């Protein structure tokens, strides 16, 4: 039996102007050129309010018969998820993967034409419903909304759910007005009441019901402008917004059968935000729904239930349309689909999704087992997953690595600790070409291991990468890589595909025996160690960099000889990595040096390292790239972008610089780590580049361990320590209950959930710790933890590419925010805002966020600092917070020189 969907006509669209009462709906950056998002393909939009076809024709809408059999549930539901270049799309992706039984296909809003939509929705019958993601900008700007308006207008017989921007688009395409909200609401919550429609089945309603949702929006649909065909289904319960409180007790775990939600006591009323706001609409005759709030947010209650309800709406719709549809669609699912720009199809194993099938439904089982799912063409392209090396021929470029190691129980405390070990073994000759990933603050299990080393054995090399000068229009991306080997020979090559692809290929070539490192309690066993500069964002989805970095865009050593120190019990490990043959004599030589270290270390009295620091009260002597007045003006620009819906949060930064001449860089680092210990601190010296990095970062960007668990620990929210214990505790509580800081943190938590969701198994991303306050020598900070299980088909570098730069340094949505920040900031961030860490040869990695860091390059010290600008920001307070974050590193420099 055949089944035909009567698709609406796509010919003869009348294009009329769509007016939106919002100033500057499409953004231009300060240099007078179109911003990157405006340069995307502009699609034809139609404002026809009612299609010419009678909706009652074709039996798409009909009354339920009394004797109609109950709706048979589908084994899986196939969703097309349209991404409006948002940073929360993959949170929706994760939810739909769990609810639907298979992951949705993600397509960006300018990737398909209307003909593509017609082909896949009607000819291939490849999807059961469509979800339109949130996104920056306005639905009236073609470069912001892409194909979505045409989709909503023409595909009247396909179930569609629009979230935030998608909700506004649903209103706009039918004639409603989209206007500025009385106040932008980002990362804040509201209690919701609804009319009990099917989208809110089993969801409570009204004040004190427990139905609280997260909002990220500056624009809203004017409820008074709704046409008759759009029905309001949800709205805020009162004129008050809510904030998330008491989060230090909140654990949000994955895959619970019920929707997890903070308890009622963890919220309190906040400032008034005007009248009740429309939070949901549906079309009176079409299966189209819109939600202004974000059901996918970690702090939204009943979000998964709403997605379940949309699945059930979809099932009911298709079953009542054609009772035999369920059996017909099984074969359609097994058919091959080819998404534009995707080089290959990705197979999704049923076991990885934990989808349970009816044992008697053999047809459905076979379809699920054999069906090939198109899985996120954009994701595959941006992660480089289609470029995986063919390693079927093991002799082509592969490297067989062997690891030898020795352990010395409790040795660190016997020889004066990590600093004495490093100085004794690697402190000579100005510590040239040395590294030290330094967990100098280990309380509360923030970090446990430190790794150190210098120029090593035959596998050692120094890799330097610089992006091309993008003003040279003859070059298209890529950059120049210089490699110095252990013998001192150098080679220079041009990498058209970029540094991250190079690093990915290098790591994929390694072969090793896991037995070599059995018994080692840490993940770094040798491999690449160094930094990725902020400008490498162009290899992670950003179109271009406006500012060129003064320092290399990436610098790494390949470390084949190294030490590890376990700060939990003082154990010291020495490791030597080699390719075939026998291990070098480095292990025995290092053993003898370790056992003869004197404690305390005796140094010459004229060494600058022992010089008594002088007292300094401020950051005096450093000059800011932006003055206080200019920085405050930049904050106002950011807030204007936020008011117009272009961003939810912008992490604005500044650079402080000082000429320093010749300086004992290692001595400065030892002084910094003493004054401002941090769990993700680092020392790097690249002598060829005249570059030393003294980092006291408290923030982890991303880690992948041997069990395949990804972890991010973003910091958002900072306040100074008090001068007395009473004042210190008061300031800590002030940070913990700050609505602004909670909103900042929540936005970045949702962003990192999104980034991990791109590369993690469906349903595995969770938040074990939300908004915990951690204390350091000069500041209290608000920290969250996000974890997920890495998918088996992605590599370590794929994970980094999906999340770099860290969202705590960009804002959200990430791509649009970085574009706007490039137009505001006057210089490259360089190493600041990038990441320092390692990529082990066994595909594990651990990277920090480069903050609280002194970069010494060509006789200049530079320190970056900034803060998240949100709708609740105060310009003067934001400036003071930026200066606060420079206090520890600037004071260390001024005391030392």
């Amino acid at each position: 039996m055949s089944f035909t969907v009567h698709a609406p006509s796509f010919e003869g669209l009348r294009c009329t102007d769509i007016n939106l009462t919002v100033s500057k709906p499409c953004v231009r950056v300060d240099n007078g050129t179109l911003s990157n998002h405006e340069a995307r393909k502009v699609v034809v939009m139609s404002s026809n309010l009612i299609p010419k076809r009678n909706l009652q024709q074709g039996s798409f809408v009909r009354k339920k018969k009394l004797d109609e059999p109950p709706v048979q549930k589908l084994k899986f539901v196939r969703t097309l998820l349209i991404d409006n270049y948002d940073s929360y799309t993959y949170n929706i992706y994760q939810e739909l993967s769990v609810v639907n039984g298979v992951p949705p296909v993600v397509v960006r809003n300018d990737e398909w034409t209307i003909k593509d939509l017609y082909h896949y929705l009607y000819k291939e019958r490849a999807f059961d419903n469509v979800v339109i993601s949130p996104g920056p900008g306005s639905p009236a700007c073609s470069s912001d909304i892409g194909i979505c308006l045409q989709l909503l207008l023409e595909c009247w017989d396909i179930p569609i759910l629009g979230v935030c921007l998608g909700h506004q688009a649903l209103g706009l395409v039918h004639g409603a007005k989209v206007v500025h909200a009385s106040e932008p609401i980002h990362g804040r919550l509201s209690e919701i009441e609804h009319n009990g429609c099917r989208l809110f089945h089993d969801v409570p309603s009204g004040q004190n019901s427990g139905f609280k949702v997260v909002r990220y929006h500056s624009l809203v649909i004017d409820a008074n402008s709704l046409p008759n065909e759009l029905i309001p289904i949800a709205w805020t319960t009162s004129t008050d917004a809510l904030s998330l409180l008491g989060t230090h007790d909140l654990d949000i775990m994955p895959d619970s059968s019920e929707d997890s939600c903070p308890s009622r006591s963890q919220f309190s009323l906040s400032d008034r935000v005007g009248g009740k706001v429309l939070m949901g609409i549906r079309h009176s005759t079409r299966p189209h729904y819109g939600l202004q709030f974000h059901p996918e947010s970690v702090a939204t209650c009943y979000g998964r239930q709403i997605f379940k309800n949309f699945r059930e709406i979809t099932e009911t719709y298709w079953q009542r349309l054609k009772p035999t549809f369920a059996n017909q669609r099984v074969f359609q699912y097994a058919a091959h689909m080819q998404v534009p720009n995707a080089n290959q199809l990705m197979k999704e194993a049923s076991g990885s999704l934990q989808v349970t099938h009816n044992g008697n439904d053999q047809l459905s089982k076979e379809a699920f087992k054999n069906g090939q799912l198109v899985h996120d063409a954009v994701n595959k392209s941006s992660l480089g997953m289609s470029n995986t090396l063919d390693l079927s021929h093991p002799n082509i470029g592969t490297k067989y690595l062997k690891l030898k190691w020795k352990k010395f129980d409790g040795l660190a405390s016997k020889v004066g600790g990590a600093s004495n070990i490093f100085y004794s073994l690697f402190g000579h000759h100005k510590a040239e070409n040395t590294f030290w990933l330094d967990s100098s603050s280990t309380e509360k299990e923030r970090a446990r291991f430190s790794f150190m080393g210098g120029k090593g054995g035959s596998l050692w090399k120094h890799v330097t990468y610089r992006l091309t000068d993008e003003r040279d229009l003859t070059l298209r991306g890529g950059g120049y890589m210089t490699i110095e080997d252990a013998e001192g020979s150098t080679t220079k090559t041009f990498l058209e595909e970029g540094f991250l692809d190079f690093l990915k290929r290098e790591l994929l070539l390694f072969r090793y025996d896991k037995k070599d490192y059995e018994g080692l309690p840490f993940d770094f066993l040798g491999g690449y160690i160094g930094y990725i500069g902020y400008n490498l964002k162009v290899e992670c989805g950003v179109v271009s960099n406006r500012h060129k970095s003064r320092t290399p865009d990436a610098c790494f050593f390949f470390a084949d000889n190294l030490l590890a120190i376990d700060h939990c019990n003082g154990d010291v490990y020495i490791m030597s990595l080699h390719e075939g043959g026998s291990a070098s004599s480095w292990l025995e030589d290092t053993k003898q040096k370790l056992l003869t270290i004197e404690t305390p270390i005796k140094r010459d009295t004229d060494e600058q390292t022992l010089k008594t620091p002088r007292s300094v009260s401020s950051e005096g002597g450093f000059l800011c790239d932006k003055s206080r007045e200019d920085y405050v003006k930049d904050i106002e620009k950011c807030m204007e972008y936020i008011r117009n819906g272009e961003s939810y949060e912008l992490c604005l930064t500044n650079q402080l610089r000082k000429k320093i001449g010749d300086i004992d860089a290692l001595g400065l680092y030892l002084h910094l780590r003493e004054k401002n210990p941090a769990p993700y601190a680092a020392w790097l010296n690249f002598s060829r580049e005249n570059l030393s990095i003294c980092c006291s970062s408290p923030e982890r960007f991303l880690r992948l361990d041997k069990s395949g668990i990804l972890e991010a620990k973003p910091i958002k929210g900072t306040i100074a320590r008090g001068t007395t214990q009473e004042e210190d505790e008061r300031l800590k509580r002030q940070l913990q209950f700050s609505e602004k800081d909670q909103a900042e943190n929540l936005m970045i938590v949702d962003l990192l959930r999104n980034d991990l969701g791109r590369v993690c198994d469906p349903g595995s991303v969770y938040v074990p710790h939300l908004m915990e306050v951690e204390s350091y020598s000069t500041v209290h900070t608000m920290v969250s933890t996000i974890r997920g299980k890495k998918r088996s088909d992605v590599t370590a570098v794929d994970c980094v590419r999906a999340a770099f730069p860290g969202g705590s340094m960009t804002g959200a949505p990430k791509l649009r925010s970085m574009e706007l920040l490039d137009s505001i900031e006057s210089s490259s961030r360089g190493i600041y805002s990038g990441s320092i860490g390692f990529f082990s040869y066994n595909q594990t990695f651990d990277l920090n966020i480069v903050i609280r860091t002194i970069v010494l390059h060509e006789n200049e010290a530079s320190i970056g600092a900034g803060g998240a600008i949100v709708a609740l920001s105060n310009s003067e307070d934001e400036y003071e917070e930026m200066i606060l974050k420079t206090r520890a590193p600037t004071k260390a420099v001024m005391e030392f020189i």
Side-chain angles (χ1 to χ4, degrees):
M1 182 182 295
S2 63
F3 172 57
T4 303
V5 174
H6 298 283
S9 172
F10 293 95
E11 298 179 359
L13 292 180
R14 291 188 298 108
C15 183
T16 58
D17 292 334
I18 297 180
N19 296 319
L20 176 67
T21 55
V22 175
S23 61
K24 300 179 181 178
C26 299
V27 175
R28 292 180 180 268
V29 296
D30 291 349
N31 60 9
T33 61
L34 284 175
S35 59
N36 294 330
H37 70 275
E38 288 184 305
R40 303 186 206 123
K41 184 193 311 177
V42 177
V43 301
V44 177
M45 296 189 297
S46 171
S47 63
N48 296 355
L49 301 185
I50 302 176
K52 298 174 183 177
R53 182 189 299 268
N54 186 335
L55 290 180
Q56 300 299 325
Q57 293 177 355
S59 298
F60 281 91
V61 179
R62 62 177 185 170
K63 295 181 180 179
K64 182 177 180 180
K65 296 180 181 179
L66 294 177
D67 58 348
E68 188 173 10
V71 174
Q72 177 185 356
K73 287 188 176 296
L74 304 176
K75 300 300 183 291
F76 47 81
V77 169
R78 308 158 304 173
T79 296
L80 174 64
L81 176 54
I82 298 185
D83 176 22
N84 287 304
Y85 288 82
D86 196 56
S87 287
Y88 300 148
T89 300
Y90 279 84
N91 295 332
I92 299 176
Y93 170 91
Q94 285 276 324
E95 288 296 313
L96 292 175
S97 297
V98 173
V99 169
N100 289 350
V102 290
V105 173
V106 183
V107 177
R108 282 184 169 164
N109 65 17
D110 56 1
E111 188 179 5
W112 281 6
T113 66
I114 197 68
K115 291 183 179 179
D116 294 324
L117 279 173
Y118 173 83
H119 176 77
Y120 292 115
L121 289 175
Y122 295 105
K123 288 189 175 180
E124 292 283 344
R125 281 176 270 158
F127 303 104
D128 303 314
N129 61 28
V130 179
V131 175
I132 301 175
S133 85
S138 83
C141 183
S142 60
S143 60
D144 292 338
I145 200 63
I147 199 70
C148 297
L149 294 185
Q150 280 183 290
L151 168 71
L152 288 163
L153 182 67
E154 301 298 329
C155 299
W156 50 268
D157 52 355
I158 301 291
I160 300 175
L161 173 64
V163 178
C164 200
L165 184 67
H167 158 86
Q168 295 166 11
L170 176 59
L172 183 70
V173 82
H174 291 288
K177 294 180 180 179
V178 178
V179 298
H180 278 103
S182 59
E183 179 184 356
I185 304 293
H186 297 114
R188 299 164 70 189
L189 297 92
S190 291
E191 289 185 310
I192 299 297
E193 53 184 316
H194 57 77
N195 69 348
C197 77
R198 293 186 61 197
L199 193 62
F200 295 109
H201 177 66
D202 282 342
V203 177
S205 176
Q207 288 186 332
N208 301 318
S209 68
F211 184 27
K212 303 177 180 71
V213 303
V214 177
R215 299 163 59 187
Y216 297 110
H217 65 95
S218 300
L219 310 178
V220 294
I221 293 176
D222 181 357
N224 295 324
S225 71
L226 282 182
N228 291 334
E229 57 265 35
L230 293 181
I231 301 171
I233 60 175
W235 46 92
T236 57
T237 60
S238 69
T239 59
D240 294 299
L242 300 169
S243 63
L244 184 62
L245 300 179
T247 54
H248 61 289
D249 295 325
L250 176 61
D251 286 352
I252 300 178
M253 304 302 292
D255 286 328
S256 60
S257 58
E258 300 296 330
D259 286 77
S260 57
C261 177
S263 66
R264 187 175 304 166
S265 63
Q266 291 167 330
F267 298 86
S268 76
L269 293 179
S270 173
D271 294 334
R272 299 172 72 86
V273 295
K276 292 183 179 182
V277 180
L278 185 65
M279 287 285 111
I281 57 174
R282 72 172 178 87
H283 196 280
S284 59
T285 54
R286 303 181 181 192
H288 293 179
Y289 297 81
L291 296 174
Q292 180 61 78
F293 61 87
H294 284 239
E296 80 286 355
S297 173
V298 71
T300 290
C301 305
Y302 299 96
R304 182 168 294 181
Q305 182 61 45
I306 291 171
F307 286 118
K308 287 179 181 178
N309 292 339
F310 183 58
R311 172 187 167 136
E312 291 177 0
I313 289 170
T314 300
E315 291 174 327
T316 303
Y317 179 79
W318 289 115
Q319 286 286 355
R320 292 178 178 174
L321 174 68
K322 209 71 166 176
T324 59
F325 175 68
N327 291 331
Q328 297 288 339
R329 66 189 290 285
V330 170
F331 296 102
Q332 296 295 336
Y333 176 72
H336 285 209
M337 284 170 42
Q338 183 63 46
V339 173
N341 303 324
N343 295 326
Q344 61 183 6
L345 298 173
M346 177 180 293
K347 295 180 180 179
E348 292 285 352
S350 58
S352 67
L353 295 175
Q354 300 179 345
V355 176
T356 303
H357 295 290
N358 186 328
N360 296 325
D361 193 347
Q362 189 63 32
L363 183 63
S364 179
K365 279 185 175 181
E366 290 302 312
F368 190 86
K369 178 180 179 182
N370 299 321
Q372 288 187 291
L373 177 68
V374 179
H375 176 72
D376 182 14
V378 175
N379 189 32
K380 286 164 63 68
S381 175
S382 64
L383 297 183
M385 289 160 57
S386 61
N387 299 320
T388 302
L389 290 181
D390 180 6
L391 298 178
S392 58
H393 302 288
N395 294 326
I396 301 177
T398 56
K399 299 178 181 179
Y400 295 87
L401 301 182
K402 296 294 294 180
L403 178 69
K404 299 292 184 182
W405 56 275
K406 294 180 182 292
K407 177 184 177 184
F408 304 91
D409 294 335
L411 181 63
S413 58
K414 300 174 184 177
V415 296
S419 60
N420 280 351
I421 294 174
F422 184 85
Y423 194 87
S424 297
L425 298 184
F426 308 108
H428 52 283
H429 303 303
K430 297 184 178 181
E432 292 182 349
N433 295 318
T434 59
F435 63 86
W436 182 5
L437 300 185
D438 177 19
S439 298
S440 56
S441 174
T442 59
E443 63 269 27
K444 297 183 180 180
E445 299 182 353
R446 289 172 180 152
R448 178 177 170 184
F449 300 100
S450 291
F451 304 95
M452 59 182 66
K455 189 170 183 178
S458 60
L459 296 179
W460 181 93
K461 56 186 173 184
H462 173 197
V463 178
T464 303
Y465 180 76
R466 294 179 183 271
L467 290 162
T468 58
D469 186 345
E470 295 179 358
R471 291 171 295 183
D472 186 350
L473 299 181
T474 63
L475 298 172
R476 294 177 59 87
Y480 293 94
M481 181 177 69
T482 302
I483 299 180
E484 178 186 356
D485 63 20
E487 304 299 323
S489 299
T490 61
T491 58
K492 187 173 183 179
T493 56
F494 179 72
L495 297 180
E496 183 175 356
E497 72 279 18
F499 178 77
L500 293 179
D501 276 1
F502 160 80
L503 185 60
K504 176 178 176 176
R505 288 199 306 271
E506 284 281 295
L507 293 173
L508 287 173
L509 289 172
F510 294 138
R511 296 291 181 270
Y512 52 89
D513 188 343
K514 292 182 179 180
K515 294 181 180 179
D516 287 356
Y517 52 82
E518 284 182 354
L520 292 177
F522 43 79
D523 291 323
F524 186 39
L525 312 167
Y528 285 97
I529 190 165
Y531 74 82
I532 300 170
Y534 178 74
N535 274 9
L536 277 195
K537 66 184 188 289
V538 295
E539 296 186 12
C540 304
V542 176
V543 175
S544 64
N545 288 309
R546 184 180 181 186
H547 310 290
K548 187 172 180 61
S549 175
R550 303 181 187 184
T551 53
D553 295 293
C555 264
F556 279 84
F557 298 121
F558 186 87
D560 53 359
N561 296 330
L562 67 153
L563 285 81
I565 299 174
D566 185 344
H567 294 285
C568 182
N569 49 37
D571 294 342
V572 177
Y573 300 79
I574 56 176
M575 296 171 283
S576 184
L577 195 61
H578 56 99
E579 186 176 10
S582 59
S584 67
S585 60
W586 183 86
L587 285 174
E588 188 61 32
D589 293 343
T590 304
K591 172 184 175 181
Q592 295 304 317
K593 291 178 181 178
L594 279 172
L595 296 178
T596 57
I597 291 177
E598 297 182 11
T599 180
I601 297 174
K602 184 179 180 181
R603 306 173 189 161
D604 295 336
T605 56
D606 61 347
E607 282 187 333
Q608 202 167 3
T609 309
L610 292 181
K611 176 169 76 171
T612 302
R614 60 190 178 90
S615 176
V616 176
S617 60
S618 70
E619 70 279 0
F622 279 83
L623 297 177
C624 293
D625 282 0
K626 291 283 185 80
S627 66
R628 183 187 192 111
E629 180 182 4
D630 289 339
Y631 193 77
V632 168
K633 288 181 180 177
D634 288 345
I635 293 171
E636 294 300 327
K637 289 181 185 178
C638 290
M639 295 183 72
E640 183 65 19
Y641 284 132
I642 291 169
R643 281 190 290 270
N644 285 331
E646 297 298 327
S647 177
Y648 318 139
E649 176 175 359
L650 288 163
C651 297
L652 182 67
T653 71
N654 203 355
Q655 292 273 345
L656 284 70
R657 307 182 193 276
K658 178 177 174 59
K659 291 293 184 182
I660 56 169
D662 192 20
I663 191 174
D664 175 11
L666 177 59
L668 173 59
Y669 175 68
L670 293 175
H671 179 60
L672 175 66
R673 78 184 295 273
E674 179 183 352
K675 296 296 183 181
N676 192 47
Y680 310 109
W683 156 267
L684 293 172
N685 176 276
F686 300 99
S687 58
R688 288 186 69 254
E689 307 299 330
N690 191 19
L691 173 63
S692 294
I693 303 170
C694 306
C695 175
S696 60
S697 173
E699 182 172 1
R700 167 175 280 152
F701 164 46
L702 198 60
R703 176 181 70 174
L704 175 65
D705 65 19
K706 285 181 287 202
S707 61
I709 299 299
L710 278 167
E711 179 184 87
K713 290 180 69 70
I715 290 177
K716 265 291 158 267
T718 303
I719 199 169
R721 298 292 302 265
T723 57
T724 66
Q725 184 175 352
E726 181 180 7
E727 181 190 28
D728 193 56
E729 189 62 30
R730 178 182 62 79
L731 290 170
K732 182 177 180 179
R733 289 196 305 271
Q734 180 180 327
L735 173 63
Q736 184 175 7
F737 294 101
S738 164
E739 181 179 6
K740 170 189 171 292
D741 292 302
Q742 290 173 12
E744 285 183 24
N745 199 286
L746 180 57
M747 280 187 266
I748 300 307
V749 167
D750 278 342
L751 187 153
L752 265 297
R753 290 174 60 239
N754 171 88
D755 291 349
L756 267 62
R758 297 178 64 191
V759 292
C760 286
D761 286 339
S764 71
V765 178
Y766 70 108
V767 182
H769 306 290
L770 183 63
M771 302 184 196
E772 294 184 333
V773 175
E774 295 184 356
S775 301
Y776 296 89
S777 59
T778 59
V779 296
H780 299 294
T781 61
M782 188 179 286
V783 186
S784 295
T785 303
I786 304 99
R787 293 185 186 133
K789 175 68 174 178
K790 182 185 77 69
R791 292 205 321 255
S792 60
D793 61 316
V794 299
T795 69
V797 175
D798 292 334
C799 296
V800 174
R801 197 195 301 266
F804 186 83
S808 62
M809 302 307 296
T810 64
K814 184 186 286 187
L815 291 180
R816 178 70 60 86
S817 296
M818 286 191 289
E819 174 189 330
L820 296 174
L821 290 166
D822 252 11
S823 74
I824 297 172
E825 295 176 355
S826 59
S827 62
S828 170
R829 298 186 185 184
I831 299 169
Y832 169 65
S833 297
S835 294
I836 293 172
F838 68 78
F839 290 88
S840 183
Y841 73 85
N842 66 339
Q843 291 275 329
T844 62
F845 66 83
D846 199 353
L847 299 168
N848 75 0
I849 295 286
V850 181
I851 54 176
R852 320 291 197 272
T853 297
I854 307 163
V855 176
L856 304 174
H857 183 236
E858 297 180 347
N859 298 321
E860 181 186 72
S862 63
I863 299 168
I869 311 304
V870 296
L872 295 173
S873 289
N874 174 277
S875 298
E876 293 298 326
D877 290 345
E878 293 292 349
Y879 179 82
E880 292 301 327
E881 181 179 329
M882 183 271 292
I883 293 297
L884 169 65
K885 292 173 180 176
T886 70
R887 184 172 298 169
T890 55
K891 186 176 181 181
V893 173
M894 298 306 297
E895 286 180 341
F896 190 78
I897 60 176

